[in-house]
């Protein structure tokens, strides 16, 4: 039964990683930038949720958090777009600068406090097939699935989704067809920011102890996920997130048997999986190959 | 613009000319006598400068801040009473932000201005600076209770060791009848000089008292310990030890309570942070957590603890205010002794400190510092969570040293 | 400006560096030494990321190989030591550690040759995490969590990073830091010369074309995969040198230093300096390394700074803000970084 | 010049689409050989196969007795096949002379170590090759702009630089991909005469892909005409001009073009 438990845990954790990873991918598809300020955006959103819900209620807090993280992401996108360059490396490096700035200010505000999210699930839990799962985590999985499903509906079926896909595939042609690159960029970042906020709420909620100034770095866990799945693949992000969650959970669960890996190998294991995937598929499982124009 | 050999030689000639004509501006080393005592570093006729290297802006900021507050409280008190050896004590605080590079550079700067260090926080920093501390001979009190650092020149670990705390804690649970021979205990720990060291304690007890031990290493970035708690639940543990950070303690307590794993949880001092009491896991901490320390919790019952609590002006006090005060008191008493010996040099302070066989700080058990190769005490308090108390802890068992802890320490 | 003066200029920059230990004390020297180590590491990264166009976040890992490699090779296996060692002569160990870093780069080259662009950047991230894991777990080699001591470097009994035999110059005792200072200046100058030659010479031209068009590089006879691997090896050897110097400066190394943060710091150095420019990398390396250290040093005299831990703007925070803002500003305002600013300055001077 | 370049039965496939279909032709030594055809006919693909960027599914490419079919691009370059790219593939920030020096790569040896140490051999080599590069730059008319950065050159000069760079590899045979594309008339004829003098004064065979028919007809010795990846005609300019298949293909170009777009492969395989 142990394996079932571990899979459950891995899936529930993986669904949060999937949300973070999807945020990365949406932004990448929209603008070809890996947003390395994602962790700080996540922290920003969750911080606002915590502060607002303390003074009013959780629903209002979530709304405020989503809006703040979305707006923060748009501001970030505007700054990134100021770098006029065709080199994809440059805007990605720029987001490191933004991350440092945002993280510095947030950690000054948060200081040594630990915020609770004020979420309705508290420390309640459910027992499923002998596995104890926190309700907040179940909610995370459900919300994660819902957000991801909604995203795919928007992406595949709406006009906006079509525009976004078009510009993801060939920005120049899309621009010629009258698709506003700028709007696509802003909306994709806003969506990415909002997803980060949702993930942040669940990463700070039970069974985690709450939000502190260091919570943002958990977003790093999603980085192997986006590479495993493929930078420009939404499906890949979801799959990658789940792979990372399950890998961590299994390696942790079988730590005794895996002792030759050294102590505490769980945080490192996803990176090993990532390298293995890259050796076979240099653009991830679902990632499209980079075109070589001669 | 390519440097050629010839231009290089011209430059070299210039360098020689410049350096020869210059008089170097750097001063000579400190030393000599000041008033009635021998001195070298950090002591003038009217001040003694003591250093504190802390983390005030990174992961251990909460701990570091209150620790510095405690250091300050003690020296302020002494200064108000006329100072030490007729001199006012100045505390030079440096914030290394848990960054080894920064700490290394700061140390060079700070070291020549201070007599010793009343605080050195962060195990990587302690490790990185340990050779330089040995070279300078500056008495340094590291904010750690790991046996890894005893017997290292210059470093004076104050209090009982992490494994000693764990052993006493288990002894306490056995006496309370909460665990017995044949039971299983779980130990969740950070690898390294904190958790890895504390694990020696639980391993020792498991062997000596016939307990089964389920040890799980976790990473400081792991804040969701559901998997670990499940593992402990599967092993049907009767008690959980946590030698990790406050977030890990909180997650374990929370998940364990939610899973119906209603067992006592023990942690070392660094595993508890009162800031967590307002989060959803606060209740679980209150029900099951016991904290084992060799220093009295903030606002404890002792006279000194009450005085310190009264004098404390900051927000959100933690138990480290008291430890900071007590470790400063150890330094203070070493300075008093050195003054009496007429030798306030680093070497003088070191030998004075090592002559103290009964240091009473008012907040910690009486300590014997004469043997640098063992911990100065094996006695610890046991405290439980009390949200109504400032600092969040209240003592349930006054300092004691279990037989097992004494035997372990003697090894 | 006459040709001769122009040729003398770079050497004139070295001049104050050589006189420095006579005027400033150990705390400034250590900042300088760390800055120079940073500069050397940054040179390596700018060759890889700037010239060859390969994004790498693995630089911290290669620094660690250099640092730990030196400590392991040079340390004797004395009883009571934290970790074992081979006891090689320290100069041999230092050179071997640099080679070892190069070998580590070579070992990664199958990935480097397969994976491109941002994927490579993230793939290289794996090395930092895996490396840190190994450093913590391979205790017999690395000393584990608590790290290990770094032996002094000496030539024929003269300690280049110690205090024996005694040496006094112009009334100033030359101790560890004074000696290491000169060693660092020497190594930095050599690194700059070597890197400049590589970047301007045949390998540099091939790497640049490879970055701009891999297909064209192939048709010019450049073995693209081999050159990608070579760039990695070359860059990791510079990182190895920086690692050895850092280890010598610290005298004790711990795994917690060689983390993702360090890799990101190096990336910031080369970006702020101007991608692909050796001079820029040096400027960026010194700036990024020294900034927090210098700010911290002056924090008490900078009255607008708050005391650390009070929630106001303290030195650490200010350093973070300047660090973050410089990355953003450089990339938005002057993508050529400090190197381009320097270029503009030169033009201005020449015109006037 | 003794070697002929023989393309024999080459088929190139992207997914289900045949970009080249059983293509065969021979470039005789010392000739200007043009490959023409409507858009999407497979001209650039032919070049990419010859220079090793694409690998054919069937068929072979030989240069004299040497089989190039499985060779990597850099090995093919070393065999003496030079290539100028259609979408200018220069290092924009580097100077003209550096862009040309990189083409000496196969003729020079100084590696990382020799360059880093500034060994005498490496310095001598650099000096000698700089001299030769200057000659070639003069030959194409860029002698006065050696130290300008490539990105700042006028379009026509960049095209010339492409050609010069290919020449700097000292090829036996030169592949020129639309050297006159996008140029005003007077510059086109400059390029045309440059191509002729490459053949005449340097004795290098030229394979030319070019859209501009008057230029092609004026300078080509031999023409291969492709349509949908297949050879539809070949011969001297006169023979080709009178070929009915060619006329049909070109007349139908508009229609063919549309068709080519709709059936064009959506992905291009990665190089190397």
């Amino acid at each position: 039964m142990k394996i079932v438990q571990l899979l459950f845990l891995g899936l529930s954790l993986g669904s949060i990683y999937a949300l973070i990873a999807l945020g990365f991918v949406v932004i990448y598809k929209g603008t070809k930038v890996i947003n390395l300020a994602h962790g700080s955006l996540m922290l920003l959103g969750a911080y606002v949720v915590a502060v607002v819900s303390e003074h009013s209620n959780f629903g209002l807090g979530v709304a405020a958090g989503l809006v703040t993280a979305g707006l923060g992401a748009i501001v970030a996108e505007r700054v990134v777009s100021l770098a006029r360059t065709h080199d994809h490396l440059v805007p990605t490096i720029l987001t490191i600068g933004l991350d440092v700035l945002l993280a510095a200010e947030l950690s000054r505000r948060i200081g040594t406090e630990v915020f609770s999210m004020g979420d309705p699930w508290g420390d309640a839990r459910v027992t499923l097939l002998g596995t104890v799962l926190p309700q907040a985590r179940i909610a995370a999985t459900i919300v994660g699935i819902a957000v991801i499903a909604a995203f795919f509906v928007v992406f595949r079926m709406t006009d906006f989704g079509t525009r976004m896909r078009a510009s993801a595939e060939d920005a120049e042609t899309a621009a010629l067809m009258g698709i506003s690159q700028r709007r696509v960029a802003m909306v994709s970042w806003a969506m990415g920011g909002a997803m980060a906020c949702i993930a942040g709420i669940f990463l700070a909620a039970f069974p985690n102890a709450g939000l502190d100034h260091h919570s943002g770095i958990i977003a790093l866990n999603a980085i192997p996920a986006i590479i495993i799945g493929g930078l420009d693949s939404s499906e890949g992000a979801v799959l990658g997130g789940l792979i990372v969650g399950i890998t961590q959970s299994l390696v942790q669960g079988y730590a005794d048997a895996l002792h030759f890996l050294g102590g505490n190998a769980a945080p490192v294991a996803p990176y090993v999986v990532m390298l293995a995937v890259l050796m076979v598929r240099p653009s991830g499982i679902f990632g499209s190959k980079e075109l070589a124009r001669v | 613009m390519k440097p050629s050999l010839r231009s290089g030689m011209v430059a070299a000639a210039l360098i020689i000319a410049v350096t020869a004509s210059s008089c170097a501006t750097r001063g000579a080393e400190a030393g000599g006598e000041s008033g009635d005592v021998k001195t070298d570093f950090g002591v003038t006729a009217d001040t003694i400068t003591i250093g504190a290297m802390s983390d005030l802006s990174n992961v251990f900021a909460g701990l570091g801040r209150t620790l510095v507050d405690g250091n300050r409280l003690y020296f302020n008190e002494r200064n108000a009473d006329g100072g030490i050896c007729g001199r006012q004590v100045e505390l030079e605080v440096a914030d290394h932000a848990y960054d080894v590079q920064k700490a290394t550079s700061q140390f060079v700067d700070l070291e020549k201005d201070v007599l010793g260090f009343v605080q050195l926080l962060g195990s990587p920093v302690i490790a990185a600076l340990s050779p330089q501390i040995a070279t300078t001979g500056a008495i340094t009190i590291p904010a750690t209770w790991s046996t890894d650092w005893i017997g290292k020149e210059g470093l004076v670990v104050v209090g009982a060791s992490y494994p000693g705390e764990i052993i006493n804690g288990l002894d306490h649970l056995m006496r309370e009848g909460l665990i017995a021979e044949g039971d299983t205990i779980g130990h969740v720990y950070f690898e390294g000089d904190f958790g890895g060291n504390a694990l020696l304690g639980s391993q020792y007890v498991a062997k000596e008292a016939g307990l089964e031990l389920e040890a799980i290493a976790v990473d400081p970035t792991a804040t969701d310990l559901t998997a670990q708690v499940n593992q402990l639940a599967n092993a049907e543990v009767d008690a959980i030890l946590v030698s990790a950070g406050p977030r890990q303690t909180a997650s374990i307590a929370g998940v364990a309570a939610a899973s119906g794993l209603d067992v006592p949880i023990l942690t070392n001092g660094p595993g508890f942070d009162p800031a967590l009491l307002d989060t959803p896991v606060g209740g679980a901490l209150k029900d099951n957590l016991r904290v084992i320390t060799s220093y009295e919790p903030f606002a404890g019952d002792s006279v000194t603890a009450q005085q310190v609590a009264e004098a404390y002006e900051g927000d959100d006090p933690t138990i480290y205010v008291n430890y900071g005060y007590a470790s400063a008191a150890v330094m203070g008493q070493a300075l008093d002794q050195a003054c009496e010996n007429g030798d306030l040099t680093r070497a003088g302070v070191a030998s004075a400190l090592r002559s103290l066989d009964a240091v009473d700080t008012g907040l910690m058990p009486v300590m014997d510092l004469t043997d640098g190769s063992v911990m100065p005490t094996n006695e610890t308090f046991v405290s439980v969570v009390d949200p109504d108390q400032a600092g969040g802890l209240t003592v349930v068992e006054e300092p004691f040293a279990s037989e097992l802890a004494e035997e372990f320490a003697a090894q | 400006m006459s040709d001769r003066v122009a040729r003398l200029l770079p050497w004139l920059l070295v001049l104050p560096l050589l006189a420095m230990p006579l005027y400033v004390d150990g705390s400034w020297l250590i900042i300088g030494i760390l800055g120079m180590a940073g500069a050397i590491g940054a040179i390596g990264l700018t060759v890889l990321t700037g010239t060859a166009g390969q994004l790498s976040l693995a630089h911290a890992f290669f620094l660690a190989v250099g640092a730990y490699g030196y400590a392991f090779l040079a340390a004797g296996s004395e009883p009571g030591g934290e970790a074992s060692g081979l006891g090689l002569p320290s100069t041999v160990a230092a050179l071997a550690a640099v080679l070892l870093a190069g070998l580590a780069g070579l070992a990664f080259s199958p990935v480097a040759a397969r994976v491109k662009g941002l994927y490579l950047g993230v793939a290289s991230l794996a090395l930092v995490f895996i490396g840190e894991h190994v450093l913590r777990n391979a205790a017999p080699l690395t000393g584990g969590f608590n790290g290990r001591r770094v032996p002094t470097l000496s030539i024929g009994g003269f300690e280049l990073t110690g205090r024996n035999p005694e040496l006094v110059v112009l009334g100033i005792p030359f101790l560890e830091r004074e000696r290491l200072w000169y060693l660092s200046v020497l190594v930095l100058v050599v690194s700059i010369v070597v890197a400049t030659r590589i970047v301007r010479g045949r390998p540099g031209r091939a790497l640049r074309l490879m970055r701009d068009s891999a297909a064209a590089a192939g048709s010019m006879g450049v073995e693209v995969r081999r050159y990608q691997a070579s760039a990695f090896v070359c860059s990791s050897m510079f990182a190895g040198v920086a690692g050895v110097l850092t280890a010598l400066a610290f005298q004790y190394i711990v795994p917690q230093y060689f983390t993702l943060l360090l890799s990101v710091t190096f990336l910031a150095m080369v970006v702020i300096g101007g991608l692909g420019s050796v001079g820029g990398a040096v400027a960026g390396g010194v700036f990024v390394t020294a900034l927090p250290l210098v700010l911290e040093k002056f924090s008490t005299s900078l009255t607008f700074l708050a005391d650390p831990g009070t929630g106001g703007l303290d030195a650490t925070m200010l350093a973070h803000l300047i660090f973050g803002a410089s990355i953003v500003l450089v990339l938005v305002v002057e993508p050529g970084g400090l190197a381009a600013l320097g270029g503009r300055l030169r033009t201005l001077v020449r015109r006037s | 010049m003794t070697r002929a370049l023989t393309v024999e039965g080459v088929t190139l496939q992207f997914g289900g689409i045949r970009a080249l279909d059983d293509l065969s032709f021979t470039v005789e030594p010392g000739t200007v050989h043009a490959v023409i055809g409507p858009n999407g006919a497979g001209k650039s693909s032919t070049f990419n196969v010859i220079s090793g960027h694409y690998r054919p599914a069937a068929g072979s490419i030989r240069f004299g007795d040497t089989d190039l079919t499985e060779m990597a691009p850099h090995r093919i370059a070393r065999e003496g096949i030079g290539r100028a790219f259609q979408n200018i593939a220069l290092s924009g920030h580097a100077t003209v002379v550096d862009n040309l020096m990189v083409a000496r790569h196969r003729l020079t040896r100084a590696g990382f170590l020799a360059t880093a140490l500034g060994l005498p051999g490496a310095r001598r080599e650099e000096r000698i090759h700089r001299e030769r590069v200057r000659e070639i730059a003069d030959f194409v008319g860029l002698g006065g702009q050696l130290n300008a950065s490539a990105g700042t050159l006028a379009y026509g000069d960049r095209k010339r630089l492409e050609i010069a760079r290919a020449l700097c590899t000292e090829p036996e045979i030169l592949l020129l991909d639309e050297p006159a594309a996008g140029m005003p008339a007077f510059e086109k004829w400059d390029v045309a005469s440059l191509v002729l003098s490459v053949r005449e004064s340097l004795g290098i065979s030229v394979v030319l892909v070019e859209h501009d028919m008057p230029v092609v007809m004026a300078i080509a010795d031999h023409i291969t005409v492709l349509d949908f990846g297949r050879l539809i005609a070949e011969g001297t300019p006169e023979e080709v001009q009178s070929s009915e298949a060619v006329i049909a293909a070109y007349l139908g170009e508009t229609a063919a073009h549309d068709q080519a777009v709709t059936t064009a492969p959506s992905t291009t395989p990665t190089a190397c």
Side-chain angles (χ1 to χ4, degrees), chain B residues 53-68:
Chain B
M53 296 185 66
S54 194
D55 171 9
L56 301 173
S57 48
N58 202 341
V59 277
F60 293 112
L63 195 165
R65 183 174 53 81
T66 47
L67 194 43
V68 171

Side-chain angles (χ1 to χ4, degrees), chain C residues 289-314:
Chain C
T289 311
L291 174 75
L293 307 180
V294 173
L295 275 180
E296 176 63 37
K297 219 170 142 53
F298 285 127
S299 58
T300 41
S301 43
L302 295 175
T303 46
F304 64 89
L305 287 182
D307 282 337
T310 54
L313 179 72
D314 59 33

Side-chain angles (χ1 to χ4, degrees), chain B residues 3 15 22 26 101 109 148, chain C residues 11 15 23 146 178 257 297:
Chain B
I15 290 159
S22 74
R26 290 179 53 187
Q101 175 165 310
D109 221 4
D148 290 356
Chain C
W11 290 102
L15 195 70
Y23 296 94
N146 290 343
E178 285 78 6
Y257 177 67
K297 219 170 142 53

Side-chain angles (χ1 to χ4, degrees), chain B residues 1-8 10-12 14-16 18-20 22-26 29 56-57 65 92-109 111-112 123-125 127-132 134-135 146 148-149 152 190-193 219-220, chain C residues 4 6-12 14-15 18-31 34 82 136-137 145-147 149 163 170 172-173 175-178 193 200 246 249-254 256-257 261-262 289 292-293 296-297 300 308-310 314-316 319 346:
Chain B
M1 291 283 280
K2 241 200 286 185
S4 72
L5 189 62
R6 192 158 144 217
S7 46
V10 176
L14 271 170
I15 290 159
I16 292 164
V18 169
T19 48
S22 74
C23 35
T25 53
R26 290 179 53 187
E29 300 290 327
L56 301 173
S57 48
R65 183 174 53 81
E92 274 281 338
V93 182
D95 170 24
H96 58 58
Y98 205 63
D99 174 346
V100 178
Q101 175 165 310
K102 214 166 166 184
T104 306
S105 131
Q106 280 171 346
F107 182 81
V108 177
D109 221 4
E111 176 266 316
K112 56 186 180 355
S123 29
V125 176
L129 295 181
S130 61
Q132 299 186 57
T135 317
S146 165
D148 290 356
W149 304 111
K152 303 259 178 186
F190 284 165
E191 289 173 291
D193 79 337
D219 194 79
Chain C
R4 181 170 295 179
R7 230 182 271 167
L8 212 59
L9 250 179
W11 290 102
L12 285 174
V14 176
L15 195 70
L18 290 178
M20 205 69 95
L22 302 175
Y23 296 94
V24 301
D25 65 10
S27 64
W28 280 106
L29 293 182
I30 194 83
I31 292 178
L34 292 172
E82 310 88 356
R136 286 192 311 226
N137 282 283
F145 275 84
N146 290 343
R149 196 183 282 267
R163 43 178 71 186
L170 296 171
I172 290 165
L175 305 176
E176 298 91 335
R177 283 171 205 110
E178 285 78 6
V193 171
R200 290 192 187 160
T246 309
F250 285 173
Q251 301 176 14
Y252 197 99
I253 41 178
V254 289
Q256 291 89 335
Y257 177 67
L261 182 68
L262 184 65
T289 311
L293 307 180
E296 176 63 37
K297 219 170 142 53
T300 41
T310 54
D314 59 33
T316 310
R346 261 202 303 277

Side-chain angles (χ1 to χ4, degrees), chain D:
Chain D
M1 293 304 101
T2 53
R3 290 199 274 179
L5 179 74
T6 316
V7 174
E8 201 170 286
V10 164
T11 299
L12 178 68
Q13 267 179 310
F14 298 137
I17 293 140
R18 289 200 163 186
L20 297 177
D21 189 358
D22 197 22
L23 177 67
S24 303
F25 64 89
T26 300
V27 179
E28 296 297 338
T31 59
V32 173
H33 188 122
V35 178
I36 63 169
N39 278 337
K43 298 168 303 220
S44 286
S45 293
T46 310
F47 271 21
N48 283 332
V49 169
I50 296 174
S51 58
H53 293 112
Y54 294 167
R55 196 151 289 180
S60 70
I61 296 138
R62 274 174 291 115
F63 190 39
D65 295 331
T66 317
D67 187 1
L68 305 182
T69 322
E70 297 285 309
M71 274 189 192
H74 68 271
R75 296 276 311 281
I76 291 172
R78 283 173 198 184
E79 284 299 321
I81 297 181
R83 175 165 182 193
F85 290 83
Q86 179 192 346
N87 324 308
I88 300 163
L90 301 166
S91 291
H93 294 290
T95 59
V96 167
V97 70
D98 270 355
N99 268 295
L100 295 179
M101 280 299 283
V102 75
R104 307 303 284 181
H105 194 87
R106 76 174 183 102
L107 305 161
T108 45
R109 308 173 57 99
F112 279 81
L113 195 61
T115 313
L117 299 177
L119 295 183
R123 284 164 182 257
R124 189 170 348 104
E125 178 183 278
E126 180 89 2
R127 212 169 37 241
I128 294 168
H129 285 268
R130 265 181 198 277
E131 203 41 56
R132 174 68 182 144
V133 154
R134 212 163 285 146
E135 285 171 26
I136 294 174
D138 283 336
F139 178 79
V140 301
L142 288 172
Q145 309 188 59
L146 279 177
N147 291 317
S149 77
T152 62
L153 296 183
Y155 177 75
D157 286 342
R158 276 186 283 156
K159 277 286 201 189
R160 261 174 226 282
L161 182 54
E162 264 289 342
I163 298 172
R165 187 175 65 176
L167 285 175
C168 281
T169 63
E170 305 290 352
E172 269 181 68
I173 188 163
L174 179 62
L175 310 182
L176 289 182
D177 202 343
E178 306 209 11
M183 286 189 174
F186 69 94
E187 264 193 297
K188 270 181 197 165
W189 291 107
D190 278 355
V191 170
S193 64
L194 178 63
V195 172
L196 283 178
S197 62
V198 164
R199 185 193 59 182
E200 269 141 37
S201 28
L202 306 177
I204 298 171
S205 324
V206 176
V207 188
L208 179 74
V209 162
E210 183 51 70
H211 257 298
D212 192 282
M213 280 312 126
V215 170
V216 171
M217 295 304 160
I219 63 175
D221 302 308
H222 197 92
I223 297 177
T224 296
V225 190
L226 304 184
D227 197 16
F228 293 112
R230 237 165 299 166
L231 184 129
I232 56 168
E234 68 177 330
T236 61
E238 297 74 32
E239 287 166 359
V240 165
Q241 264 173 317
S242 55
S243 155
E244 281 176 27
V246 175
I247 294 162
Y250 271 86
L251 282 179
E253 174 154 15
T254 336
H257 176 79
D258 292 346
Q259 195 177 350
V261 168
T262 47
T263 60
S266 57
T267 54
T268 347
T270 335
C272 314

